[in-house]
């Protein structure tokens, strides 16, 4: 039976209406290419007919990687004006080393950062990935040797930024999208980089998948089913392992090493992967997981092992594993503070601010200068409130359970060269507010692991 001359349009609009049935506030990632052009045109058509409740806006990310990028931005403005869709053009800088996957990944990261910064709470980011894109993503994951999580490819919906990301064309083929564009006489831009086979995805699209499609026309849909099955298996594992992971993680998100020893190697790897995912870290390879277990978790008890990955590092302390972001050395920082306004600390360590409650200290005298540091002179003994004798600072850190990587990242208050307090940990007798002293309070607004005195 021959298809009518609007079959592709009807199919695309049906898919959009179904996939976005529960969404009303949409931010469309609009590049001006054929895929996102069909997506935006279809959403504008639905808004004009079936979904007048749609709040529709678009964003074009200008990477500056092509000499045609300005012309593409102008094209997108013209299209959005024609379809009465507000458009924001966002310029980003791309930090990628050379051509190939490096620049491709860097551009994608910059693009999605821009989307996340602009997505409002409760809004849905709508992107134009389709069935053929899903097949390419699956094959790229297969090339990397990914397990079921990687082979799950792209979900149709997922949390993103302050809202959700939706891919409503994920079950629509490239052929149908191009058919929609022809039926509606749409115009679009062609990114010359899409013809560069140095990029892995382009290599598949240009050189591999046409031959596969000629031999097995339903290959892309079969791959999509495999991706769905992998995603289903991962979802089931998430459900089954969630109670164990919750039991092994403490309030700080640290993972109990002794608990991991009681499970099989396969379950341990699955738990570690879910721990990385829970912490928002890039998934490690199987080899990295083995290194983590053998050289970090299983190292000698008095060692301070760590494994540095691309975006995080894993460290062990008191038989717990901690997943930490990159940290710059702040040990030599000395910050002047008037004690009256918010003081922002370096390297994302938060802020100190005066408050009506919190850490209570005596007011500095007129001849005392208030500074914030992160390192005290070596071998310094301190007398702290609640302890009868002085103790070396190193012993105090141990006593209060402060991990080694926080010992030169915890703000220390000084009056002149005298330590007054380790904020959030202890107060020295020199800083104690005694009867008759004027008192002020310090509050620590931070994301560091809170520490408290041992029982």
């Amino acid at each position: 039976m021959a298809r009518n001359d609007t079959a592709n349009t009807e199919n695309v609009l049906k898919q959009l209406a179904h996939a976005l049935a529960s969404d009303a506030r949409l931010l469309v990632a609009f590049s001006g290419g054929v895929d996102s052009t069909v997506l935006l045109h279809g959403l504008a058509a639905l808004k004009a007919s079936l979904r007048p409740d749609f709040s529709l806006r678009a964003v074009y990310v200008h990477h500056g990687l092509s000499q045609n990028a300005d012309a593409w931005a102008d094209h997108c403005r013209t299209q959005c004006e024609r379809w009465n869709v507000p458009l924001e053009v966002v310029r980003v800088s791309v930090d990628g080393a050379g051509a190939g996957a490096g620049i491709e990944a860097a551009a994608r990261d910059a693009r999605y950062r821009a989307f996340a910064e602009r997505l409002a709470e409760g809004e849905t980011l709508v992107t134009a990935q389709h069935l053929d894109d899903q097949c390419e993503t699956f094959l790229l994951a297969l090339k990397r040797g990914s397990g079921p999580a990687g082979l799950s490819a792209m979900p149709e919906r997922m949390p993103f930024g302050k809202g959700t990301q939706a891919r409503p064309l994920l079950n629509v083929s490239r052929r149908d999208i191009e058919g929609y564009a022809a039926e509606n006489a749409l115009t679009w831009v062609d990114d010359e980089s899409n013809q560069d086979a140095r990029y892995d995805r382009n290599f598949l699209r240009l050189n591999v998948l046409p031959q596969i499609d000629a031999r097995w026309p339903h290959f892309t849909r079969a791959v999509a089913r495999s991706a769905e099955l992998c995603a289903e298996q991962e979802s089931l594992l998430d459900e089954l392992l969630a109670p164990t992971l919750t039991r092994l993680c403490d309030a700080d998100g640290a993972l109990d090493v002794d608990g991991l020893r009681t499970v099989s190697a396969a379950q341990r790897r699955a738990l570690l992967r879910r721990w990385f995912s829970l912490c928002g870290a890039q998934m490690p390879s199987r080899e990295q997981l083995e290194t983590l277990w053998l050289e970090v978790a299983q190292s000698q008890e008095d060692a301070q092992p760590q494994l540095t990955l691309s975006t995080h590092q894993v460290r062990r302390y008191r038989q717990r594993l901690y997943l930490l972001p990159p940290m710059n050395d702040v040990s030599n920082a000395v910050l002047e503070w008037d004690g009256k306004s918010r003081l922002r600390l370096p390297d994302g360590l938060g802020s100190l601010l005066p408050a009506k409650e919190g850490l209570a200290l005596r007011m500095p005298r007129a001849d005392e200068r208030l500074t914030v540091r992160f390192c005290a002179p070596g071998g310094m003994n301190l007398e702290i409130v609640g302890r009868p004798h002085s103790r070396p600072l190193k012993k105090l850190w141990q006593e209060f359970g402060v991990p080694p990587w926080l010992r030169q990242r915890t703000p220390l208050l000084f009056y002149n060269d005298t330590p007054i307090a380790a904020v959030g940990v202890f107060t020295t007798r020199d800083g104690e507010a005694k009867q008759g002293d004027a008192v002020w309070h310090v509050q620590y607004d931070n994301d560091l692991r809170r520490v408290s005195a041992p029982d």
Side-chain angles (χ1 to χ4, degrees):
M1 181 183 296
R3 298 181 68 175
N4 64 56
D5 58 3
T6 62
N8 293 301
T9 298
E10 293 169 3
N11 178 41
V12 167
L13 293 179
K14 179 181 177 181
Q15 291 288 340
L16 291 176
H18 174 74
L20 299 172
S22 60
D23 302 278
R25 300 167 56 212
L26 308 178
L27 174 64
V28 181
F30 186 37
S31 69
V34 62
D35 304 334
S36 64
T37 296
V38 167
L39 173 64
L40 188 57
H41 182 272
L43 292 174
L46 284 178
K47 178 177 174 64
S49 56
L50 300 176
R51 293 294 304 273
D53 60 315
F54 271 168
S55 172
L56 190 61
R57 63 192 185 98
V59 59
Y60 170 81
V61 177
H62 189 309
H63 300 96
L65 296 176
S66 169
Q67 62 182 2
N68 299 313
D70 289 335
W72 297 339
D74 290 339
H75 169 86
C76 290
R77 287 192 188 95
T78 300
Q79 295 287 57
C80 286
E81 288 172 3
R82 181 178 301 160
W83 299 332
N84 197 29
V85 176
L87 174 72
E88 180 182 5
V89 175
V90 181
R91 292 180 179 269
V92 299
S93 58
V94 177
D95 181 15
I103 195 72
E104 185 180 28
R108 181 189 182 282
D109 290 344
R111 187 163 60 249
Y112 275 87
R113 279 197 303 272
F115 296 152
E117 289 168 359
R118 281 151 185 83
L119 190 68
E121 188 169 352
E123 198 172 27
T124 301
L125 172 67
V126 188
T127 55
Q129 291 93 351
H130 49 70
L131 185 66
D132 298 71
D133 292 325
Q134 182 76 305
C135 181
E136 293 161 9
T137 300
F138 183 96
L139 293 177
L140 289 171
L142 194 64
K143 176 188 76 73
R144 293 191 299 268
S146 299
L151 296 176
S152 299
M154 298 179 288
E156 186 175 283
R157 301 182 72 87
M158 61 182 290
F160 180 81
K162 298 177 183 177
T164 303
Q165 180 182 358
R167 299 179 175 96
L169 298 179
L170 212 51
N171 290 315
V172 180
S173 70
R174 179 179 286 115
R175 185 178 291 110
D176 285 352
I177 286 174
E178 292 172 348
Y180 179 108
E183 290 168 7
N184 292 277
L186 300 180
T187 60
W188 59 89
V189 300
D190 285 315
D191 186 340
E192 68 276 3
S193 69
N194 288 336
Q195 301 304 312
D196 189 345
R198 290 178 300 169
Y199 299 116
D200 289 344
R201 186 176 290 272
N202 289 349
F203 176 78
L204 287 174
R205 182 181 302 151
L206 298 172
N207 300 332
V208 177
L209 287 174
Q211 296 187 53
I212 292 178
D213 187 59
R215 177 69 179 260
W216 302 299
H218 302 294
F219 182 81
T220 55
R221 292 201 177 275
V223 167
R225 283 197 301 273
S226 293
E228 289 176 7
L229 290 172
C230 288
E232 185 177 304
Q233 293 297 311
E234 280 298 291
S235 179
L236 177 60
L237 278 176
D238 287 343
E239 183 178 333
L240 294 175
L241 292 175
T244 304
L245 186 60
T246 299
R247 176 173 55 83
L248 294 181
C249 282
D250 64 17
D252 304 314
L255 198 57
D256 180 20
V257 172
D258 289 333
L260 289 173
R261 290 194 179 101
T262 66
V263 301
S264 68
Q267 186 175 161
R268 183 177 66 244
R269 287 191 292 268
L271 287 166
L272 286 168
R273 290 190 183 99
R274 279 152 184 80
W275 180 56
F276 272 79
S277 178
L278 186 67
C279 296
Q282 183 174 320
M283 196 61 60
S285 66
R286 179 164 179 166
E287 290 75 17
Q288 288 172 325
L289 285 180
E290 288 302 305
T291 300
L292 187 163
W293 181 247
L294 294 174
E295 299 182 11
V296 180
Q298 300 281 68
S299 62
Q300 294 181 357
E301 191 169 334
D302 59 350
Q304 295 185 15
Q306 68 182 72
L307 174 66
T308 300
L309 304 171
S310 57
T311 59
H312 287 73
Q313 60 178 252
V314 183
R315 300 186 66 161
R316 192 196 69 197
Y317 179 66
R318 294 187 173 178
Q319 291 304 102
R320 291 192 176 276
L321 295 176
Y322 292 82
L323 190 57
L324 307 168
M327 294 180 287
N328 294 314
D329 182 10
V330 297
S331 60
N332 293 323
V334 178
L335 309 176
E336 296 275 355
W337 189 26
D338 60 12
K340 299 176 182 178
S341 57
R342 179 185 290 268
L343 177 69
R344 297 200 178 276
L345 304 176
D347 204 37
L349 292 176
S351 302
L352 297 178
L353 61 157
K356 294 182 179 179
E357 57 184 23
L359 172 64
L361 299 168
R362 69 170 177 85
M363 291 284 289
R365 295 188 295 269
D367 62 343
E368 291 179 323
R369 181 175 63 112
L370 171 61
T371 58
V372 179
R373 312 179 195 184
F374 298 91
C375 185
M380 174 176 279
N381 284 358
L382 299 179
E383 293 185 12
I384 69 170
V385 176
R387 298 291 188 275
H389 305 292
S390 65
R391 300 205 71 190
L393 180 57
K394 179 180 179 180
K395 295 294 184 183
L396 289 173
W397 289 138
Q398 294 172 352
E399 180 179 339
F400 284 93
V402 179
W405 57 91
L406 290 185
R407 294 175 188 176
Q408 292 189 339
R409 295 178 69 80
T410 298
L412 302 173
L413 298 183
F414 280 72
Y415 289 166
N416 292 334
D417 290 322
T418 302
I420 299 304
V423 183
V425 186
F426 59 76
T427 302
T428 70
R429 292 193 182 277
D430 290 307
E432 182 182 13
K434 299 182 177 65
Q435 187 174 1
D437 287 339
V439 178
W440 70 300
H441 295 84
V442 180
Q443 183 177 326
Y444 190 9
D445 179 11
N446 76 316
D447 296 324
L448 288 177
R449 188 180 78 90
R450 297 297 200 275
V451 292
S452 58
D455 297 334

